[in-house]
């Protein structure tokens, strides 16, 4: 039996153990979410509640190098959210002690 | 008299030894061997994740522990546990001897 420190056999176990917990989700398009995970499926479609979305908007400065600019951060809150799985890059459960 | 005797030609012409175990085997063998080890996972976006590989599946979905996120070589985030959706993965590199 593969007993790594947390004792999970497949990556989705990590998500299953995070149900009803507040998770951090990194999405395509410089977006991040935190919310309570209610449901997920094999595509990583997610149902989150009490969600805060953080959007990083990079505004290029004239005369500055490519990739340099001021980063604006926009936030918004949503009560309930369905996230389509193909936008998900990373999901991190709350660090358990 | 003859102090130096070259090896017999048949021995010298013997086939080269097989490569060391560490570099032989299929991609699957590599992935099996690297579970539980420190790895660097690079995403197609260029972001790197360094941490301990907990497990992975056929989609190359990855679970990692003690993970640090690097953007342009700078740590931008730390996660105790992280699930990475497989479609974003560019490569998995061993970060310690196997």
């Amino acid at each position: 039996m593969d007993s790594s420190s947390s004792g999970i056999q497949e990556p989705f176990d990590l998500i299953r153990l995070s149900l009803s917990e507040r998770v951090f989700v990194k999405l395509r398009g410089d977006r991040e979410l935190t919310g309570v995970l209610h449901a997920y499926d094999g595509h990583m479609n997610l149902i989150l509640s009490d969600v805060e979305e953080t959007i990083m908007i990079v505004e290029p400065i004239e005369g500055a190098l490519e990739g340099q600019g001021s980063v604006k951060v926009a936030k918004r809150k949503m009560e309930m959210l369905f996230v389509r799985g193909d936008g998900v890059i990373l999901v991190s459960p709350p660090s358990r002690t | 008299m003859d102090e130096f005797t070259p090896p017999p030609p048949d021995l010298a012409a013997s086939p080269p030894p097989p490569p060391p175990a560490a570099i032989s085997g299929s991609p699957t063998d590599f992935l099996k061997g690297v579970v539980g080890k420190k790895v660097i996972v690079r995403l197609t976006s260029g972001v790197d994740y360094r941490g301990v590989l907990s497990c992975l599946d056929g989609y190359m979905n990855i679970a990692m522990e003690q993970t640090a996120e690097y953007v342009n070589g700078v740590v931008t985030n730390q996660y105790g546990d992280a699930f990475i959706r497989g479609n974003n993965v560019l490569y998995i590199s061993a970060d310690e001897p196997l």
Side-chain angles (χ1 to χ4, degrees), chain A residues 33 39 41 43-49 51 78 80-85:
Chain A
L33 303 171
D41 64 15
H43 300 290
M44 282 303 280
N45 296 323
L46 306 171
I47 305 287
L48 300 172
S49 72
V51 187
M78 288 151 286
M80 194 63 88
L81 193 67
F82 171 92
V83 183
R84 191 177 148 97

Side-chain angles (χ1 to χ4, degrees), chain B residues 5-15:
Chain B
T5 28
D10 59 320
L11 225 176
S14 66

Side-chain angles (χ1 to χ4, degrees), chain A residues 2 4-6 8-12 14-15 24 26 28 43-44 85-86 88-93 96, chain B residues 35 43-44 47 49 54-57 61-65 69 77 79-85 87-88:
Chain A
D2 174 33
S4 60
S5 57
S6 51
I8 59 173
Q9 266 86 46
E10 58 167 58
F12 277 110
L14 206 60
I15 307 303
F24 169 87
K26 192 176 163 71
R28 292 173 173 272
H43 300 290
M44 282 303 280
D86 65 354
V88 173
I89 296 174
L90 176 144
V91 179
S92 181
R96 50 180 59 81
Chain B
V35 169
L43 307 189
T44 50
V47 178
Y49 292 92
S54 304
C55 57
L56 70 174
D57 66 15
N61 293 324
I62 290 172
M64 292 178 76
E65 296 170 350
E69 176 184 87
N77 239 323
Y79 309 103
D81 282 300
F83 172 101
I84 299 171
R85 198 173 187 266
N87 67 302
N88 302 294

Side-chain angles (χ1 to χ4, degrees), chain B residues 16-87:
Chain B
I23 60 164
S24 71
S26 64
T28 307
D29 292 337
F30 170 82
L31 291 176
K32 280 181 185 163
V34 86
V35 169
K37 300 283 204 309
K38 287 203 282 185
V39 294
I40 304 169
V41 176
R42 171 158 291 187
L43 307 189
T44 50
S45 61
V47 178
D48 281 348
Y49 292 92
R50 290 165 169 256
V52 177
L53 182 64
S54 304
C55 57
L56 70 174
D57 66 15
Y59 294 110
M60 220 167 279
N61 293 324
I62 290 172
M64 292 178 76
E65 296 170 350
Q66 302 157 42
T67 304
E69 176 184 87
Y70 287 77
V71 179
N72 300 324
V74 181
V75 178
T76 48
N77 239 323
Q78 309 239 38
Y79 309 103
D81 282 300
F83 172 101
I84 299 171
R85 198 173 187 266
N87 67 302

